[in-house]
Amino acid sequence: MNEPGSPPRKDNRDDEKKRQEKGRRQFRFGISYLITSLLVLWLFQLLVVAPLNRSTEIPYSEFMKNLADGRIAEVTIGERDIIGETKNPKPDGSPAVVPFDTVPAPAGDSKLIEELQNAKVTYRFERPPNPIGGFLLEYLMPLALLGGFWYLAYGRMGSGAGPGLGGIFGVGKSKAIEVKPEDITVTYKDVGGADEAIAELQEIIQFLKAPDQFAQLGGHIPKGVLLVGPPGTGKTLLAKATAGEAQVAFFETSGAEFVEMFVGVGAARVRDMFEQARKAAPAIVFIDEIDAIGQSRGGVMRLGGNDEREQTLNQLLAEIDGFKTDASAPVIIMAATNRPEVLDPALLRAGRFDRQIAIGNPDLVGRVQILRIHSKNVKLAADFDVERAARMTAGFSGADLANAMNEAALLAARHKAAAVTLNDFEAAIERVIAGSEKRSRVMNEQERTTVAYHESGHALVAELVPYGEPVSKISIVPHSRGALGYTMQMPTEDRYLLKIDELKDRIAVMLGGRAAEVVEFRTISTGATDDIMRATELARHMVTEFGMSDKLGSVRYAGQQLQYLGRSVEDNSQISPETRQVIDGEVQRLVTEQYKRAQELLAAHQPALKTLAQRLLKQETVSGSVVKEALENSPSPGLPADCAHMEESREEASG
Ligand code: ADP
Ligand code: MG
Ligand code: ZN
């Protein structure tokens, strides 16, 4: 099966080839290195160690017999063996001297000296060996040999990859692949469904193209851009296309390439990469999967590798801080991750990766664009409806779409069709889903409808409660991390002090999703699991920490946070079982009250709920203004008495 993310495009394939070539070279090197070192060890044993031990060993009994027969000429008694010479009369009677060695009894033979004395044998004792000498010879020498060989081989490889020898034979050389501006063939025309991200990147391009002008206008010069999104949404593609648009050099590397066994190597590579980039400026440095080095320091304990990662991260931070984004050598650093939550906060601080661009799975319009891009070189049947194809693939990432189009072309080729039909594409979808281990999912119509009502419920309750934060965007495009849709709320200001009514409103909004399902379908689904968790957590905080329950009063019931094995755990041993029961009851009451309230609000505005959900089903993503429109344009039959007041505060909140 085709690997996701290798669509039939020339530039991508070249790239892929380069990577594969690199990987293969490293693999071959590893194997030949292993074989050679084993060979060297074996030869060493065979030629050096073995002859020393094995010359002419005879059994101790034979030695004793020779001694008794008077055939021993002389011996040297060592700690571990006895070596010496025997007199073996040749047939013609002249004596011949034959060397021998033998291993004495472990405890030593106390009578040996006496017998030697009696037999008049010359004997001497071996000087005890210098304890370091033997060790050096037997263990360190082969190691040193291997080490030397390793350095030579590695040094050669390093110099083969880049100009000259850097560091210690190139170990500290950056492995980033430099792509010259003229070799970058992708531009924003090759990226579909990422209009928002592209708009945000315009500033970077402006800066790279005309840094002087940019500085003159007093623009704040950007340094780092972090692209955040699920796998296959085109983060790498977007970074490269940005370099293509600006016509600057592009240094591509991945976080994992900085994570090495030896402390300091990663840091050296970071330094080297930035040095190269500055030489090639204007340039974009792209670090893919930055979470490999940028993981939060401290906190969760990890085995090994921590020092190294920390040093690498520190070096990266220093480089970002250090390079003045001066107009003469503009370098922009871009990075991508699909796990922003594990990144070290230091990376996200202002002046570093202060610009974060979220890229999600494409919505319907985006999918149409992406399918068009990837069908440029595919012969589609005349009646191939791209829009319908896009409808069938809700939840697919850009890479999944590219892959599906490729599979469709292959399928069509297999049954020797003249062009790719929608049927081929449908079959291809199934293959992609099967191949991607549930990473991408396509929801069936019923699921989509449920999610549409669920999200509409969140959004409407947020608009209807007095303290709801304004909704900025609703979407039913499945997210990679489990969420089937989302409602984004934009706080109008940072809040440090929240009133009890505001907190209650928040709970109502969280439960608005499930409430909508009940109001519309008279049944509930598992889609509210996360909502319920958050609502319960908030209610518990209100009861145990904020003192917001009349029954329990302004007393803190939350257990103490204890540090245990690097995690914080709560110690509840101070709270009596009876009190715990009351707490649970109060939490339940708070949550249930708000759930009822959300249901009532939605029941009173059911026409608006229907309108909004239908809009969502059609468009997949709508902006917050649509929520207000739906409320204004739909008649509200059973308006509660205090609704006028609510509408007023709603306007306040959004204004
Ligand atoms: P990411 O880095 O986010 O994991 P990539 O940029 O590696 O994803 O995407 C893999 C491939 O999928 C790209 O090379 C491209 O062919 C295709 N692709 C992904 N997103 C898009 C998009 N928005 N528009 C066009 N093609 C895309
Ligand atoms: Mg990528
Ligand atoms: Zn929800």
Side-chain angles (χ1 to χ4, degrees), residues 454-455 458 510 513-514 527-528 531 534:
H454 180 105
E455 297 303 332
H458 284 307
M510 289 172 192
R514 167 159 283 202
D531 299 333
R534 289 191 305 142

Side-chain angles (χ1 to χ4, degrees), residues 231-237 252 286 288-289 336:
T233 43
K235 299 182 292 295
T236 311
L237 181 69
E252 186 181 2
F286 177 62
D288 214 348
E289 324 280 340

